[in-house]
Amino acid sequence: MASIGLLAAGMAHEVGTPLAAIMGYAELLEGDGQEDAASRDYGRRISQECARIDRIVRGLLDYSRPRNSDVEAVDIPRLIADSIELMTQQGAFKGIRVNTYFEENLAPALADGHQLQQVLINLMLNSRDAMPDGGRLTVRATSEGENRAGLFREGVRVDVHDSGSGIPSEHLEYLFEPFFTTKPPGRGTGLGLAIAARIIEGFGGSIDVRSTLGRGSCFTLRLPAISKKGAR
C-alpha cells in the first residue's frame, strides 16, 4: 500500500500537470467562438476523457492514502436523510421510489460523518445505476449486536437495498477490489467500492453485499456504536 501511495502521488503530479494543459486547450477548442461543430465536439470529448483520467488518479490517491478520520458520534438517521435529500435535489432518483426505516432511539455511530456520507452516496448511486428503468431503493438503519440491560449496543447496521438487476455470483468476491467494475466502459473507475471499504474499515466497521440476479442487491455497513458507557 505504501508503494501504491507513492506511485499514486507521483501520478497525480506528473500526469496532473500536462492533463490540466490539455483540458485548457480542449476548453478553447469547444469554446463559443468556434464555428466548426466538429471541432467543438472534439473539444467536448477530449474534456470528458481528461476528466475521467483525473477521477481515476484522484480515486487511486484516495484508495492508497486515505484521509485521517475525524471520528465522532454520528446521528445515522439524520445523515441518511440529508444524503437522500441532497441527491433528490440533484435529480438522482428520477423514476425511483425511495423508502427509509430507522429504528427508534438508535445509538449514534462512531465514524467520520463526511466520509460516511461519501460511502452512502456512492452506494445509493450504484443502486440507481442498477435500476435504469426505475425501481425501489430502501435504506434501513438498525442496531445490531449485544445489548446489556439497555445500556449499550454493539453496533449500528445500515442496509442499502435496491430492486435492480443484481450482480452475478461470480463477481461478488471481487466487488471491493480496485479497478473491478460491472459497469460499461467509461461509466465507472472501479474504485468507488474499494474506497468505501477502506473508509468503513478505518472506522473499525465492515461492509458486505448480498445479491440475486433479477431481484436486486443489498450492501450492508456495520459500524461501531456510541453508548452511555462510551464507544464500543
Side-chain angles (χ1 to χ4, degrees), residues 39-173:
S39 295
R40 292 197 301 272
D41 183 58
Y42 293 155
R44 179 183 59 81
R45 292 173 184 268
I46 292 170
S47 294
Q48 287 178 344
E49 294 307 310
C50 284
R52 184 164 183 262
I53 293 172
D54 185 62
R55 289 196 300 272
I56 292 171
V57 173
R58 293 181 183 278
L60 187 56
L61 269 174
D62 288 341
Y63 175 73
S64 60
R65 301 172 65 182
R67 294 176 299 164
N68 291 330
S69 299
D70 295 323
V71 175
E72 59 185 0
V74 178
D75 184 334
I76 294 298
R78 174 169 292 183
L79 183 66
I80 292 172
D82 288 346
S83 301
I84 291 174
E85 181 181 4
L86 175 64
M87 295 178 67
T88 301
Q89 290 175 350
Q90 296 176 353
F93 293 137
K94 290 182 179 178
I96 294 175
R97 186 167 70 255
V98 181
N99 300 319
T100 58
Y101 170 79
F102 305 137
E103 182 178 314
E104 291 186 11
N105 302 316
L106 187 66
L110 184 63
D112 181 312
H114 295 292
Q115 292 188 35
L116 182 55
Q117 185 174 56
Q118 175 186 341
V119 171
L120 289 170
I121 288 176
N122 180 271
L123 293 179
M124 290 190 286
L125 286 175
N126 284 345
S127 292
R128 179 205 60 185
D129 293 344
M131 301 182 287
D133 299 321
R136 183 179 66 257
L137 172 66
T138 304
V139 186
R140 296 169 53 90
T142 58
S143 61
E144 184 177 71
E146 189 175 13
N147 184 355
R148 297 181 181 177
L151 294 177
F152 64 83
R153 287 170 173 149
E154 192 172 82
V156 173
R157 169 174 174 157
V158 178
D159 292 304
V160 180
H161 184 273
D162 65 67
S163 61
S165 54
I167 303 167
S169 58
E170 64 269 21
H171 291 168
L172 292 178
E173 63 179 302

Side-chain angles (χ1 to χ4, degrees), residues 193-214:
L193 288 177
I195 293 170
R198 292 274 286 167
I199 289 174
I200 297 302
E201 289 166 3
F203 304 151
S206 65
I207 179 172
D208 59 55
V209 59
R210 305 183 309 280
S211 186
T212 303
L213 279 178

